[in-house]
Every structure is written in structure tokens, then in C-alpha cells.
Amino acid sequence: MGAAGLVLFLLLALPDPGTVQGKVVENFDECSWFFQNKIPPQGFDTQNRVKICQRYKNHYHFVTLYRPDLRIPVYSAYRYPCTIGVEKKFRSNPWFYEPQIDDRKASAEMTSSKDRSSDNQAVDADYKDSGYDRGHLYPFSFNENDSATATCTLTNAVPQKHEANVNWNKQVESIVLKLALICHKSGRSMYVVTGSANSTGSKLKNKVTVPEVAWTALCCTSPPGRINDPCLNNNVWSEEQSATTYDKDFSCAFKKKMEPEEDAVILTVRALQRNLSMIKIFDSCRGTNQDDEAENFEEVKTLIATVTSAENGGGSIRGWSWGFAVLCCLLSKTWSMCV
Ligand SMILES: *[C@@H]1O[C@H](CO)[C@@H](O)[C@H](O)[C@H]1NC(C)=O
Ligand SMILES: *[C@@H]1O[C@H](CO)[C@@H](O)[C@H](O)[C@H]1NC(C)=O
Ligand SMILES: *[C@@H]1O[C@H](CO)[C@@H](O)[C@H](O)[C@H]1NC(C)=O
């Protein structure tokens, strides 16, 4: 990382010093490799939002668009695999917060939120005894070392009832992780954007908004190049090689009503975009155009059916994927690599 990367990264354009109300003009250039084609989602309101290149132990680990007025993130954007840093991962307790949201001259790194107070973001005390979990957007379990620890910042969390948080993990995160393993096995990288939407009207300690919905969108594709892409240049992590083989780009999305809780639904990225009233989550990904949306979606649903049934020992590949399975077995000459 160059010297430029080591200096101030969280740039807030403030009409008055000391307030984060106002126009955030800076872009995510310092940490753009977390976005597919290095382009942030298009169509989210960026007025009165704070852009954070999430920094911990001298490295950027993911990106967040934050809403100081609600004290929750709009989304976090991250990659799989992307383990940066060498210290063993731990769940920070208390969680971190982002000092620069309150004071641009403060530390550029996430910092413990213990005994802090803020008018612009959630701190440890807001969640304490609130009856709500700190629901990760970028999940702790997706990566190792410092990148995992860095997810434990309240700028990456929304209040979730414990049961809904557990079910979000079961119904969405665990499937996204399986898809990420398949994606990485084909030599690609998975770009993920996870966010929250729609206020329930409740607030923790009359401060932190409880959202109604959580959503996630993923795009498996080849990154534009290795240069300046720390996710491709760090330690390669040894995954079990049992993942299903699928040698194509793909995309899909999930959405779950968190409060009151409903089961998660899978949808296309375009359908999610429409639902969130935004333009584009990924710059360009298979399945995000009208002409390849349906085909991609059918294949992804089959892939998900395969990985979720493979959980109970031995996958079942049916329908369209039969030809693909045969082909990949001929190529790999190993039946067991396909399921
Ligand atoms: C985590 O850090 C250790 C060094 O402490 C390194 O050997 C290992 O490869 C790292 N893990 C990943 C997944 O990069
Ligand atoms: C979004 O999806 C929900 C159901 O999942 C539906 O009730 C709602 O009408 C959709 N909204 C838009 C704007 O498409
Ligand atoms: C938010 O609520 C509105 C009104 O009920 C609904 O149309 C919209 O689809 C909701 N957004 C999401 C992402 O579910």
C-alpha cells in the first residue's frame, strides 16, 4: 500500500466543522477494489451519508456507506476471499466504532467504542441490554485474521432480534459462503454487498434505528487485474476442495424481513435493485442484464439446491446441470470433484 493509502481515508466534506450533516463529496477511490469493476453501487442516496474505507491494523478490509441520522449502515461491500493481516481473528468486545465520523482529525482506524458517546453513530452502550444483537452486515465468519476482527465494528452492524440474526445466518450467510467457495474454486472472486432497508420505527435507546429488512447481493466474476488488488495478493487460504465445480460467472440476491421476521427469499439482482429503488449494485455481472437474468437465475437456484442437499452427504445434480456435471467430470476425470 502506498503512502497515500496510509493517510486520511475517510473524507467528509463538512459545511461546518464538527458536524457530519452535509454533503459527502469524496469517493471510495482509496478502497475501490471491494467493488466489482471498482465501481460503487449506483443509485443509493449519498446525501448525508458517510463513506468509510474500513481500516484496521493498517489495512483496509471492507467498505461501508453509513447513515449518521439513523446510526446504522446502508450497506457494507466486501470480497471473498480477502483475508488481509496476520493476527489471529477475535471477536472484539466491546465492538469498534469509527472515530472520524465524529472528528475528522481523529484516528483513521476503527477504535473500541467502550465508554464512548456519539451523536452520529452507534456505540457500545446503545446495544447493551437493548434486547438486540449487533447483526453483522459483512459476516465475521467469511474471512480469517484481521479481516474477520475488523467486521466487529458497529458501523457494520444493525440491530437484529437474536432469533432473526440466527436465521439470517442459516438462511442466507451460510448459503452465500457456500457459493463463495464454489466461486473461488473456479479461480474467480466473489463481490458481496449487504445492507439494510426500511425503518421499523423502533430505536435502541431512542438512538439506533431498527431496520425492517436485510438484503445481500453477490457477484462471482474475475477481478479486473492483480495490480493494486490486495485481495488477490494476500495469503491464499486453504479451503477444503470439496466445493461443487461451476465454471461460470454468476449473480443472485437474498432478502429477509427481519422484523417482524419472515423467511428469506432468493431473487435476482435486478429484482432486488427494483425493490430497493436503486439503479445498479454491480457495474457489470452475469445475470444483471435483462437478456441473461433468467438463465443465470435458474442455474444459481440449481447450484443452491445442490450445495444445500450436498450438506446431507452426496450432492444431487439434476435437470439442466446434468450435462454440465457430465462435462465437468469428463474434463476433471474425477466424479467426486463435481459433487
Ligand atoms: C493468517 O495469518 C497467518 C500468520 O499469522 C498466516 O500464516 C495465514 O496464512 C493467515 N491466514 C490467511 C487466511 O491469510
Ligand atoms: C419489494 O418486495 C416486497 C416483498 O418481498 C413487496 O411487498 C414490495 O412491494 C416490493 N417493493 C417494490 C418497490 O418492488
Ligand atoms: C420498504 O417498504 C415499502 C412500503 O411498505 C415497500 O414498498 C418496499 O418494498 C420496502 N423495501 C424493501 C427493501 O423491502
Side-chain angles (χ1 to χ4, degrees):
M1 184 173 299
L6 295 171
V7 294
L8 184 73
F9 65 94
L10 184 128
L11 293 152
L12 308 171
L14 303 176
D16 306 297
T19 164
V20 292
Q21 301 308 310
K23 203 161 61 149
V24 175
V25 292
E26 264 315 321
N27 50 46
F28 282 122
D29 281 0
E30 293 286 328
C31 52
S32 61
W33 66 85
F34 292 107
F35 299 115
Q36 196 262 325
N37 269 349
K38 305 192 172 177
I39 313 249
Q42 309 290 302
F44 284 112
D45 186 3
T46 48
Q47 285 275 319
N48 303 319
R49 306 288 185 270
V50 179
K51 294 170 180 164
I52 308 171
C53 291
Q54 296 278 9
R55 190 179 175 88
Y56 176 65
K57 300 254 163 157
N58 260 341
H59 294 288
Y60 298 130
H61 299 276
F62 62 106
V63 170
T64 297
L65 183 68
Y66 193 77
R67 276 194 77 155
D69 56 340
L70 305 182
R71 306 192 195 196
I72 54 170
V74 178
Y75 67 72
S76 287
Y78 48 100
R79 292 263 301 270
Y80 182 91
C82 189
T83 282
I84 300 171
V86 295
E87 282 183 30
K88 210 166 169 315
K89 70 175 170 183
F90 67 95
R91 285 183 182 266
S92 169
N93 189 13
W95 283 37
F96 302 117
Y97 81 138
E98 178 50 60
Q100 288 196 343
I101 291 179
D102 298 313
D103 174 6
R104 278 193 296 161
K105 298 195 199 77
S107 163
E109 300 229 349
M110 54 181 77
T111 307
S112 169
S113 65
K114 183 173 164 38
D115 300 331
R116 301 290 170 160
S117 67
S118 171
D119 292 332
N120 308 304
Q121 61 181 315
V123 293
D124 189 50
D126 298 334
Y127 279 86
K128 216 169 209 145
D129 306 318
S130 66
Y132 280 87
D133 280 9
R134 294 161 294 197
H136 278 89
L137 295 185
Y138 174 15
F140 176 81
S141 58
F142 274 32
N143 276 307
E144 289 296 318
N145 293 3
D146 296 329
S147 288
T149 303
T151 64
C152 297
T153 175
L154 293 174
T155 55
N156 180 46
V158 296
Q160 290 174 349
K161 283 271 161 61
H162 181 67
E163 177 105 6
N165 189 14
V166 167
N167 288 333
W168 172 253
N169 175 264
K170 263 194 230 159
Q171 297 173 359
V172 178
E173 289 174 344
S174 68
I175 295 171
V176 173
L177 185 54
K178 287 194 178 84
L179 293 174
L181 294 171
I182 293 171
C183 178
H184 185 214
K185 191 177 176 184
S186 74
R188 293 171 173 82
S189 197
M190 198 153 96
Y191 295 82
V192 193
V193 184
T194 301
S196 65
N198 278 9
S199 167
T200 53
S202 340
K203 285 186 171 187
L204 312 192
K205 312 275 162 89
N206 205 20
K207 291 176 182 166
V208 185
T209 294
V210 178
E212 196 177 77
V213 169
W215 54 266
T216 195
L218 59 90
C219 166
C220 169
T221 189
S222 301
R226 300 197 81 83
I227 297 160
N228 296 327
D229 188 338
C231 296
L232 294 179
N233 295 316
N234 59 34
N235 298 314
V236 174
W237 108 335
S238 59
E239 297 153 347
E240 357 140 18
Q241 282 301 299
S242 59
T244 302
T245 299
Y246 182 72
D247 198 9
K248 271 186 177 184
D249 289 5
F250 61 88
S251 67
C252 70
F254 298 85
K255 187 180 125 168
K256 181 172 165 65
K257 190 119 180 278
M258 301 297 282
E259 187 165 331
E261 197 187 345
E262 288 172 13
D263 280 343
V265 291
I266 177 170
L267 63 177
T268 67
V269 172
R270 278 163 58 86
L272 180 66
Q273 286 168 176
R274 276 194 300 275
N275 207 259
L276 296 170
S277 304
M278 52 94 60
I279 301 162
K280 233 180 184 191
I281 296 178
F282 302 112
D283 177 54
S284 152
C285 194
R286 178 166 171 258
T288 64
N289 300 304
Q290 200 167 359
D291 50 358
D292 59 12
E293 181 180 16
E295 181 200 63
N296 166 81
F297 195 48
E298 283 314 304
E299 294 185 11
V300 169
K301 282 192 290 191
T302 306
L303 206 54
I304 290 170
T306 305
V307 292
T308 48
S309 70
E311 218 166 40
N312 318 314
S316 61
I317 299 180
R318 291 191 199 94
W320 71 271
S321 54
W322 183 248
F324 168 71
V326 170
L327 180 65
C328 92
C329 290
L330 288 175
L331 292 176
S332 71
K333 294 199 181 71
T334 323
W335 179 249
S336 63
M337 282 185 68
C338 301
V339 287

